[in-house]
């Protein structure tokens, strides 16, 4: 009996040993790869309107590579209809998960319902959607645009006081012009509302007047063009430019110089994003402050996608961290900037 037992044990040990020997890099690799199918993500980006957007796209592509996720990338060229088409094609292909940056807030209910019916989870990235049923997406990763707008006013109010500024055209109100982002986008709405709310709630709010506010579509070229038209009617009145993004501020700086004024001095300039270009302008004294909006959302997106597909619970709304950078810290900060 003992002998038989010993024999059985010996045989078992041989089998285990052979098993271990056999499971070298290759065979263990293939077995786990076989069990763990590669994830495919369909990603609909809105386009390449700004430095920020380029950084956002790079972040998503790099993070997908790092996470071993296959990314089906689609560029919508600033059109919602192209995004809807892309999402429908992701559904038809049967991707594992869909992520998208909604160019505007509304108009997504139908296509997101189609994804839900196909049991494909959707993650909203960067901008917000307004849908009747929140269960149409599993998570939203992005930035707090209302807070960004509030931070713009807070900084501006303090700066004008510290600098002992007075309105260029006299009177008791600073005249502000605003270059807004894409019409109907959650970020343009949020930044504008945040700014106006903070202004309305502040004791100093009465010291500021929004003289003109128009979209510059988040691009440098349009920012320049709209600033030109602001200057044409109010060259000697404008005290402040608030641009919803840095790129529009950079375009506007050219218009201000062409009008014979000094950007950053005659006109105080504050914008949002924190891209390298605006840091360079701040170092030259041509812009005064940027409120950061972090485009590096790729890693968090891939981690969230994996959790969702593993059936783990995820936060419905995650904001990435951001700061405020006035011109006097620009030189020191620029080398550390990642986008
Ligand atoms: O500020 C702007 C970009 O949606 C937060 O879109 C983003 C904005 C960003 O084009 O530069």
């Amino acid at each position: 009996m003992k002998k038989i037992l010993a024999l059985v044990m010996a045989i078992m040990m041989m089998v285990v040993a052979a098993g271990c020997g056999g499971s070298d890099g290759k065979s263990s690799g293939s077995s786990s790869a076989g069990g763990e199918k590669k994830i495919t993500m369909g990603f609909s980006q809105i386009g390449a309107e700004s430095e920020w957007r380029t950084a956002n796209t790079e972040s998503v592509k790099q993070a997908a590579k790092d996470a071993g996720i296959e990314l089906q990338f689609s560029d919508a060229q600033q059109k919602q209809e192209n995004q809807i088409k892309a999402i429908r094609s992701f559904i038809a292909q049967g991707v594992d998960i869909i992520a998208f940056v909604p160019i505007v807030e509304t108009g997504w209910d139908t296509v997101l319902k189609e994804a839900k019916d196909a049991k494909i989870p959707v993650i909203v990235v960067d901008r917000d959607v307004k849908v009747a049923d929140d269960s149409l997406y599993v998570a939203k990763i992005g930035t707090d645009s209302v807070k960004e707008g509030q931070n713009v006013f807070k900084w501006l109010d303090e700066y004008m006081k510290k600098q002992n500024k007075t309105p260029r055209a006299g009177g008791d109100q600073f005249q502000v012009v605003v270059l807004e982002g894409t019409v109907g986008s959650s970020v343009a709405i949020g930044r504008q509302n945040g700014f106006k709310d903070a202004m309305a709630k502040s004791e100093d709010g009465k010291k500021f007047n929004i003289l003109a506010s128009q979209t510059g579509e988040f691009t440098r070229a349009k920012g320049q063009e709209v600033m030109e038209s602001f200057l044409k009617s109010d060259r000697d009145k404008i005290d402040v430019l608030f641009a919803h993004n840095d790129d529009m501020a950079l375009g506007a700086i050219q218009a201000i110089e062409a009008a014979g004024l000094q950007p950053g001095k005659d006109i105080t300039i504050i914008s949002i994003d924190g891209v390298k270009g605006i840091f360079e302008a701040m170092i030259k004294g041509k812009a005064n402050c940027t409120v950061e909006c972090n485009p590096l959302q790729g890693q968090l997106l891939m981690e969230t996608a994996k959790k969702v597909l593993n059936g783990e619970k995820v936060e419905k709304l995650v904001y990435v961290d951001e700061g405020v950078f006035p011109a006097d810290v620009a030189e020191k900060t620029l080398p550390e900037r990642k986008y």
Side-chain angles (χ1 to χ4, degrees):
M1 189 66 184
K2 259 188 192 168
K3 264 187 195 162
I4 295 171
L5 214 75
L7 199 69
V8 170
M9 291 272 284
I11 291 169
M12 273 174 63
M13 277 169 75
M14 273 163 69
V15 169
V16 169
C20 286
S23 70
D24 57 10
K26 260 188 231 155
S27 63
S28 74
S30 75
S31 72
S32 74
E36 220 180 90
K37 175 179 153 289
K38 194 167 185 182
I39 296 170
T40 301
M41 172 187 281
F43 183 79
S44 166
Q45 180 58 285
I46 59 180
E49 71 284 0
S50 62
E51 259 189 68
W52 190 98
R53 185 64 53 204
T54 307
N56 182 243
T57 295
E58 274 167 18
S59 164
V60 169
K61 285 185 174 170
Q62 186 60 46
K65 238 185 240 163
D66 295 344
I69 291 179
E70 194 184 314
L71 193 71
Q72 304 264 353
F73 184 88
S74 173
D75 176 340
Q77 317 252 340
Q78 310 298 321
K79 290 208 177 88
Q80 182 178 33
E81 56 185 274
N82 290 346
Q83 291 201 282
I84 292 174
K85 263 188 223 155
I87 294 171
R88 291 211 164 111
S89 109
F90 295 147
I91 297 170
Q93 282 173 62
V95 298
D96 300 300
I97 191 156
I98 293 171
F100 80 114
V101 176
I103 181 149
V104 290
E105 234 176 14
T106 55
W108 301 104
D109 297 72
T110 309
V111 74
L112 294 188
K113 177 82 177 22
E114 287 165 25
K116 196 181 178 192
D117 290 345
K119 299 200 164 48
I120 301 175
V122 174
I123 301 177
V124 178
V125 184
D126 168 19
R127 299 184 181 174
D128 291 311
V129 289
K130 244 192 198 156
V131 283
D133 171 9
D134 271 358
S135 77
L136 292 178
Y137 61 91
V138 287
K140 152 80 206 281
I141 293 166
T143 55
D144 188 342
S145 55
V146 175
K147 195 166 139 208
E148 290 160 359
Q150 290 167 340
N151 284 340
V152 167
F153 181 78
K154 228 167 86 191
W155 178 87
L156 179 65
D157 184 21
E158 279 163 25
Y159 180 80
M160 299 310 256
K161 268 191 267 181
K162 255 195 270 161
Q163 299 286 314
N164 285 319
K165 291 255 187 193
T166 50
R168 283 173 64 220
D172 50 11
Q173 275 188 318
F174 293 114
Q175 302 299 331
V176 182
V177 293
V178 184
L179 288 169
E180 300 172 27
T182 303
V183 176
S185 67
S186 68
V187 270
I189 298 167
R191 287 170 183 178
Q192 191 81 344
N193 287 345
F195 181 80
K196 281 189 178 166
D197 281 358
M199 188 165 131
K201 281 188 192 129
S202 154
E203 269 180 38
D204 295 333
K206 301 175 283 308
K207 291 191 208 155
F208 296 85
N209 173 51
I210 297 181
L211 186 65
S213 186
Q214 207 177 303
T215 183
E217 293 167 8
F218 279 135
T219 69
R220 222 174 263 217
K222 195 77 186 169
Q224 180 173 358
E225 189 189 311
V226 177
M227 191 69 205
E228 273 163 17
S229 79
F230 286 162
L231 287 161
K232 216 176 251 170
S233 23
D234 293 306
R235 182 190 178 278
D236 300 321
K237 266 197 205 160
I238 303 168
D239 297 295
V240 176
L241 164 66
F242 163 32
H244 282 191
N245 81 344
D246 293 341
D247 278 69
M248 291 189 292
L250 290 168
I253 286 172
Q254 283 178 273
I256 294 168
E257 286 181 326
L261 294 173
Q262 285 189 293
K265 296 191 181 68
D266 297 320
I267 299 181
T268 299
I269 301 177
I270 176 161
S271 51
I272 300 176
D273 273 358
V275 298
K276 282 189 182 146
I278 204 73
F279 276 83
E280 281 153 8
M282 286 197 288
I283 292 169
K284 291 185 195 137
K286 295 182 180 187
N288 305 91
C289 184
T290 185
V291 169
E292 187 182 34
C293 173
N294 190 348
L296 309 178
Q297 301 165 354
Q299 196 187 333
L300 186 58
L301 170 61
M302 300 309 153
E303 283 166 12
T304 307
K306 283 189 173 176
K307 281 188 192 159
V308 168
L309 292 169
N310 268 336
E312 290 171 44
K313 227 180 129 41
V314 295
E315 298 268 350
K316 188 89 186 183
L317 178 65
V318 186
Y319 285 139
V320 289
D321 292 335
E322 7 201 30
V324 176
F325 299 98
D328 48 6
V329 302
E331 192 145 20
K332 197 177 127 247
T333 317
L334 179 60
E336 298 158 17
R337 300 297 296 163
K338 293 199 179 69
Y339 58 94

